[in-house]
Amino acid sequence: MIRRLLSGFVVLFAVSGFAQEQENPASKPSTPESAAVKESKPADSAPQIAYLHVYRHRRYVGSGLAPTISVDLTKVARVGNGRRFTARLQPGTHTVRSDDKSSAVTIDAKAGEHYYVRIDEEAGFWKGHGRMTLLMPDQGKAEYPMQKPVEDDRRFAKDMLEVEADPGH
């Protein structure tokens, strides 16, 4: 009886010892598949931001107005006639507004993506308002470079804004 009991304990400890033994990853030989997995990971140094491009066509009507554009309640810039700016956004949902309270654009920004918003002046009773339109990237990409960058004194959130050169100078 005692022999059976002792042999049962020996078997129990031997099984529990094998169950706790872990494989050492350093002793494992490197395979080409594991090297490929390491190389395919994206670099952490890549910027994880989205780009918001806001612009306004040059028009005679409403040329004296410059609506203020806000992103998530932060005033970013005033966009005059024929002007543009690019803002950096963190990935996530953002609301872009102008001085027209009824006109807002909500963007679900993804890292590395570009979003284009055009401002069109709408006639109002006392003054005009900037109506915002979210465009398809192909259309916005073609129209955006035709405008001039926003003047430096109309740039409020300078930490969010990209520095753009005026292609005409």
Side-chain angles (χ1 to χ4, degrees):
M1 175 85 163
I2 293 179
R3 280 190 181 173
R4 281 187 183 175
L5 191 60
L6 284 177
S7 62
F9 279 124
V10 170
V11 169
L12 180 65
F13 284 119
V15 169
S16 67
F18 287 156
Q20 291 179 359
E21 189 175 298
Q22 296 178 358
E23 186 175 309
N24 185 1
S27 66
K28 220 165 115 174
S30 179
T31 63
E33 292 82 25
S34 64
V37 169
K38 288 180 185 177
E39 291 173 9
S40 68
K41 289 183 180 178
D44 290 336
S45 64
Q48 297 297 315
I49 58 174
Y51 296 94
L52 172 66
H53 306 281
V54 179
Y55 67 96
R56 182 174 157 208
H57 283 298
R58 184 165 201 74
R59 301 278 189 258
Y60 179 75
V61 176
S63 61
L65 300 174
T68 300
I69 305 303
S70 301
V71 177
D72 299 330
L73 304 178
T74 301
K75 290 182 180 181
V76 179
R78 289 184 65 202
V79 182
N81 198 20
R83 298 294 178 163
R84 69 174 189 224
F85 72 84
T86 298
R88 295 180 298 272
L89 300 176
Q90 295 297 322
T93 303
H94 299 280
T95 303
V96 183
R97 296 185 188 276
S98 73
D99 56 0
D100 182 2
K101 304 298 181 217
S102 65
S103 178
V105 174
T106 302
I107 297 172
D108 185 19
K110 294 179 179 35
E113 294 291 320
H114 293 261
Y115 302 91
Y116 293 88
V117 174
R118 184 180 64 217
I119 302 169
D120 297 309
E121 284 300 322
E122 292 289 315
F125 183 69
W126 291 106
K127 69 174 195 167
H129 301 279
R131 182 178 50 103
M132 305 183 74
T133 306
L134 181 63
L135 302 172
M136 297 298 293
D138 292 339
Q139 181 180 359
K141 192 174 184 179
E143 295 177 354
Y144 183 81
M146 294 189 284
Q147 318 314 315
K148 292 181 178 182
V150 168
E151 300 92 339
D152 197 46
D153 63 331
R154 292 185 174 187
R155 298 163 56 94
F156 304 130
K158 294 184 180 184
D159 58 325
M160 286 178 67
L161 296 173
E162 290 282 305
V163 176
E164 296 184 82
D166 188 352
H169 293 277

